[in-house]
Amino acid sequence: MVDARGKMKCLTFFLMLPETVKNRSKKGSKKGNSSPSSKLPPVCYEIITLKTKKKKKMAAEIFPNKKPANNNPNSIQQYHQQNLNNNNTIPSPHWRGLYATIRERNAVMFNNDLMADIHFVVGPPGGTQRIPGHKYVLAVGSSVFHAMFYGELAEDNDEIRIPDVEPAAFLAMLKYMYCDEIDLAADTVLATLYAAKKYIVPHLARACVNFLETSLSAKNACVLLSQSCLFEEPDLTQRCWEVIEAQAELALKSEGFCDIDFQTFESILNRETLNAKEIVVFEAALNWAEAECHRQELPPTIENKRKVLGKALYLIRIPTMALDEFADGAAQSGVLTVNETNDIFLWYTAAKKPDLQFVSKPRKGLVPLRCHRFQSCAYRSNQWRYRGRCDSIQFAVDKRVFIAGFGLYGSSCGSAEYSAKIELKRQGVILGQNLSKYFSDGSSNTFPVWFEYPVQIEPDTFYTASVVLDGNELSYFGQEGMTEVQCGRVTVQFQCSSDSTNGTGVQGGQIPELIFYA
């Protein structure tokens, strides 16, 4: 009940205990008639206070967004950052009141000695870190930890040594288990993937793979290929091959190529679709051999380089090099024997070619796709003229591709030569450019102009393709442009660019084709 002042009143009920009621009934039956005045007062009573019953609420409903103030020294953010760096205990006995949800309270235990019932010594000798843990949390997050702590063969150890996992990676895994947060960095993601695989934390492992796929480039593709095979991640392996094949020369010249294992090294040299000159493959192999000598603590002499290369040397298709590339490069490297050098020279020059251990068939490489965005082309007596102005168009794709160049229209007044400066930008940042010349034969065909290296294009982002042409003759131009074109398995969208100052747009103009690998 509530009084006029809004305060809760207590309703009291006098309840006789069961034992008292029973005893009194027995006494009453023996005495027969008894007057009311002879009745004894109740021996024991309970006073029960009844209040209005309210629906229970979860902590998150009561404090949906409540967080400690930033100036509070015991704030969540400060605890969290401290626990990333070292072991802490919470000094205040009332720390639980700072956190509204069980997730936040559980996160406080991350890397915290408070109530810890296990410790890990993580890292190789000389670089270890002692990390506290809580068996229940770890067992919930990993079947491996469950077997370690609660399985039939569980050992009752207070400390476990883990020399094959980096401390930063182990902490990243624990942060996921305690805080339900995935915090990955480029320099530790591979080590974190290893930890996630070792302790069977599949969602964290998937997040690591996704991180690697989005950060994949020619610089790290060879290393990631090696690791993806080790971790048995076929999707990541396929993505690595796509990058290595399309941007082979950049990948082979990267520092990461020298860090791969021999098996991965062999698989790259043996790749039929490697899109690179063979002299580049040869030079990359020598660089890898020098690095391998250092790993095996051998002097990087010519003999030792040949030794570590082994039979992989014959996977380099030296006979497919241009003669001057062989004469100035491979023939003078010292890696080939005198007989091998002589036989290869005879292969180039003699009618009767000798048998070689080297593969003499050129690689197939990759076949580029050409996305044509106009349905027709035309020419007029005053179009399309070039006076140093820019023709530009924006495009986006739905899958990762590698732009190798543009197809451009040529002269509408007979054969002519043009100088073309092509450029590819993303949000104003130049990703690739090249200055070259091309010769047109007077037809309405398109003529390819290439970048030095293919440029990696990510999906669902608009890029700007531009060209500045210099030529005396008028050229053909495209008409009936399409805003969306399906090219193989890739969908390409086009829109006008503000960089275009020579009239090119979606409906008509220059840059009729995008040439790419997919």
Side-chain angles (χ1 to χ4, degrees):
M1 294 179 66
V2 181
D3 62 10
R5 293 172 296 177
K7 295 184 177 180
M8 180 71 68
K9 285 187 175 181
C10 296
L11 301 182
T12 58
F13 292 85
F14 293 91
L15 299 182
M16 189 179 293
L17 294 179
E19 183 178 359
T20 306
V21 175
K22 184 179 180 181
N23 291 340
R24 291 191 61 194
S25 63
K26 288 182 179 179
K27 291 178 182 179
S29 63
K30 288 181 180 180
K31 292 183 180 181
N33 297 330
S34 58
S35 63
S37 61
S38 64
K39 292 182 180 180
L40 297 174
V43 177
C44 183
Y45 300 93
E46 281 187 298
I47 299 178
I48 301 178
T49 302
L50 299 183
K51 297 183 179 180
T52 304
K53 188 175 182 181
K54 294 183 179 180
K55 183 181 178 181
K56 293 182 179 179
K57 292 185 177 181
M58 301 299 291
E61 295 179 88
I62 301 172
F63 309 106
N65 296 310
K66 187 173 181 180
K67 292 184 179 180
N70 290 335
N71 56 359
N72 187 342
N74 295 330
S75 66
I76 296 174
Q77 292 84 354
Q78 290 183 357
Y79 282 145
H80 188 67
Q81 186 60 40
Q82 289 171 355
N83 288 357
L84 281 172
N85 301 325
N86 49 57
N87 302 335
N88 292 277
T89 57
I90 303 300
S92 171
H94 307 296
W95 61 269
R96 296 164 186 81
L98 298 172
Y99 308 96
T101 66
I102 185 63
R103 177 178 174 273
E104 291 176 327
R105 292 190 290 275
N106 199 59
V108 175
M109 295 295 100
F110 166 57
N111 198 19
N112 198 318
D113 267 316
L114 184 65
M115 295 185 283
D117 52 2
I118 190 69
H119 284 81
F120 301 93
V121 180
V122 186
T128 60
Q129 182 175 342
R130 194 169 187 267
I131 300 172
H134 305 78
K135 292 182 179 179
Y136 167 74
V137 178
L138 299 175
V140 168
S142 163
S143 58
V144 175
F145 282 129
H146 181 272
M148 290 172 61
F149 302 140
Y150 302 107
E152 294 180 358
L153 301 178
E155 298 182 4
D156 190 18
N157 295 329
D158 295 331
E159 190 173 274
I160 298 176
R161 295 187 176 274
I162 308 177
D164 60 328
V165 177
E166 294 181 11
F170 193 79
L171 283 170
M173 182 178 68
L174 261 58
K175 184 177 182 181
Y176 170 71
M177 293 181 178
Y178 279 80
C179 311
D180 198 24
E181 295 180 13
I182 297 176
D183 187 10
L184 301 175
D187 55 345
T188 58
V189 62
L190 282 173
T192 304
L193 177 59
Y194 173 78
K197 288 282 188 176
K198 177 177 180 177
Y199 292 100
I200 312 180
V201 188
H203 293 291
L204 179 60
R206 184 68 252 168
C208 291
V209 172
N210 291 339
F211 182 94
L212 291 171
E213 287 181 354
T214 56
S215 60
L216 186 60
S217 68
K219 293 181 179 180
N220 59 19
C222 295
V223 173
L224 293 184
L225 174 67
S226 176
Q227 297 298 318
S228 67
C229 295
L230 175 65
F231 295 135
E232 298 180 348
E233 290 289 344
D235 291 341
L236 180 58
T237 300
Q238 179 59 32
R239 299 291 182 275
C240 291
W241 277 124
E242 290 173 2
V243 174
I244 292 171
E245 289 174 344
Q247 297 181 300
E249 294 192 2
L250 285 176
L252 293 172
K253 293 177 180 179
S254 68
E255 294 181 4
F257 178 77
C258 297
D259 297 330
I260 60 178
D261 59 277
F262 184 75
Q263 184 177 357
T264 305
F265 174 71
E266 272 191 316
S267 66
I268 292 176
L269 295 189
N270 198 37
R271 197 72 174 178
E272 185 69 28
T273 50
L274 206 62
N275 202 35
K277 295 180 179 179
E278 213 60 36
I279 184 63
V280 176
V281 178
F282 179 79
E283 292 170 351
L286 292 187
N287 292 334
W288 179 90
E290 182 174 350
E292 183 66 15
C293 287
H294 290 303
R295 283 191 288 270
Q296 297 186 19
E297 298 182 351
L298 297 172
T301 61
I302 296 298
E303 293 76 14
N304 286 334
K305 288 181 182 180
R306 173 78 188 226
K307 178 182 176 181
V308 298
L309 284 171
K311 293 183 179 180
L313 177 65
Y314 299 114
L315 297 175
I316 305 173
R317 307 186 183 195
I318 295 178
T320 66
M321 295 180 186
L323 179 57
D324 59 334
E325 290 177 339
F326 172 72
D328 296 335
Q332 299 186 42
S333 66
V335 174
L336 305 178
T337 64
V338 174
N339 288 337
E340 288 171 343
T341 303
N342 290 338
D343 285 346
I344 294 173
F345 269 121
L346 289 174
W347 173 269
Y348 283 110
T349 57
K352 184 179 180 180
K353 301 184 183 299
D355 293 330
L356 299 175
Q357 288 184 276
F358 295 93
V359 180
S360 57
K361 185 180 178 181
R363 302 179 195 270
K364 293 180 180 178
L366 293 177
V367 178
L369 298 175
R370 302 174 81 114
C371 176
H372 196 91
R373 67 188 187 93
F374 294 125
Q375 299 181 68
S376 65
C377 68
Y379 69 91
R380 296 190 181 98
S381 59
N382 60 343
Q383 292 179 324
W384 203 261
R385 190 180 300 278
Y386 305 102
R387 295 174 179 173
R389 292 191 291 255
C390 179
D391 288 285
S392 182
I393 192 71
Q394 287 193 332
F395 69 93
V397 294
D398 63 342
K399 293 180 177 61
R400 175 183 286 165
V401 300
F402 303 87
I403 296 292
F406 304 146
L408 303 177
Y409 285 122
S411 171
S412 58
C413 306
S415 60
E417 185 180 64
Y418 291 90
S419 173
K421 179 184 179 182
I422 59 174
E423 195 171 74
L424 192 59
K425 296 188 295 185
R426 178 183 179 181
Q427 297 178 350
V429 178
I430 298 176
L431 304 178
Q433 61 182 0
N434 196 20
L435 179 61
S436 62
K437 294 182 178 182
Y438 70 96
F439 181 83
S440 67
D441 57 7
S443 69
S444 61
N445 296 330
T446 59
F447 302 91
V449 180
W450 307 95
F451 289 104
E452 184 178 3
Y453 302 109
V455 181
Q456 181 171 312
I457 301 298
E458 298 298 332
D460 305 322
T461 301
F462 274 95
Y463 293 78
T464 303
S466 302
V467 59
V468 177
L469 288 172
D470 184 14
N472 294 326
E473 300 294 338
L474 300 176
S475 78
Y476 288 90
F477 59 92
Q479 294 185 134
E480 300 178 279
M482 296 174 285
T483 58
E484 185 174 297
V485 180
Q486 188 70 32
C487 187
R489 295 179 298 171
V490 181
T491 301
V492 186
Q493 292 181 323
F494 295 95
Q495 69 180 23
C496 293
S497 169
S498 60
D499 292 349
S500 188
T501 58
N502 200 41
T504 290
V506 173
Q507 296 301 319
Q510 260 285 9
I511 318 181
E513 284 183 339
L514 299 178
I515 306 173
F516 62 91
Y517 302 111

